[in-house]
Amino acid sequence: VRRAGIYSEILPFSSDPDQLSSKPQGIILSGGPESVYAGKAPQPSSKWLDLGVPILGICYGMQWLNHFHGGKMLHGVNHSGEYGEIEVKLTSDHALFDGIDKKIVSWMSHGDSIDEKGLAKDFKIIAQTSNHVAAISSPLKKFYGVQFHPEVSHMPTGQQILVNFLRRICNC
């Protein structure tokens, strides 16, 4: 975000939006090693979802958005995650992917995943791998999620995806 020349603040997941000095233009929920089903998994305050600003969930952030809205994760011993370089097919023209080819190289590191059957109501799939959902959106709520990690240097189009979220969606 700062590499794009945009002011940002980094807050712990336990932060309360009532403590902000001003309303943000957007929120990014970062990744993490937990499962939404773990007993001590990070659970951000649902107040963040009520601010009326665009939210981008990355990896665990996407899973949390989906789970919070009633979606289900593929989880456990009968499920295989995705790790390393994975090809993603963009299945929708979306501002998040403006100026990006329909097939991209992504960087994944996750055990839990979303499939079509586990997608929360009001969300739609905007990108997929050969095995799982790679990106989702809820245009009505202005919530977006990517299962991959656009913030890592291994992902050539990652910075463009972040800039698209910041400039085209959040109007930063």
Side-chain angles (χ1 to χ4, degrees), residues 24-80:
Q25 285 182 257
I27 297 168
I28 297 176
L29 301 173
S30 68
E34 296 291 341
S35 166
V36 294
Y37 297 120
K40 293 184 179 184
Q43 300 292 322
S45 169
S46 63
K47 292 180 193 177
W48 291 106
L49 304 175
D50 298 330
L51 292 178
V53 300
I55 296 177
L56 173 64
I58 296 174
C59 192
Y60 177 86
M62 178 179 105
Q63 295 170 10
W64 182 81
L65 279 173
N66 188 63
H67 180 72
F68 183 86
H69 290 92
K72 306 286 182 210
M73 300 302 115
L74 297 173
H75 172 76
V77 295
N78 295 324
H79 166 65
S80 63

Side-chain angles (χ1 to χ4, degrees), residues 112-155:
D112 291 356
S113 300
I114 302 170
D115 68 3
E116 290 98 3
K117 292 182 258 175
L119 193 63
K121 184 181 178 196
D122 298 327
F123 280 84
K124 66 179 191 171
I125 298 168
I126 58 174
Q128 292 185 280
T129 69
S130 59
N131 298 313
H132 305 293
V133 173
I136 59 175
S137 76
S138 176
L140 181 65
K141 296 180 181 193
K142 299 187 280 187
F143 296 161
Y144 311 89
V146 293
Q147 185 58 67
F148 49 84
H149 290 271
E151 75 279 12
V152 299
S153 61
H154 303 8
M155 189 170 170

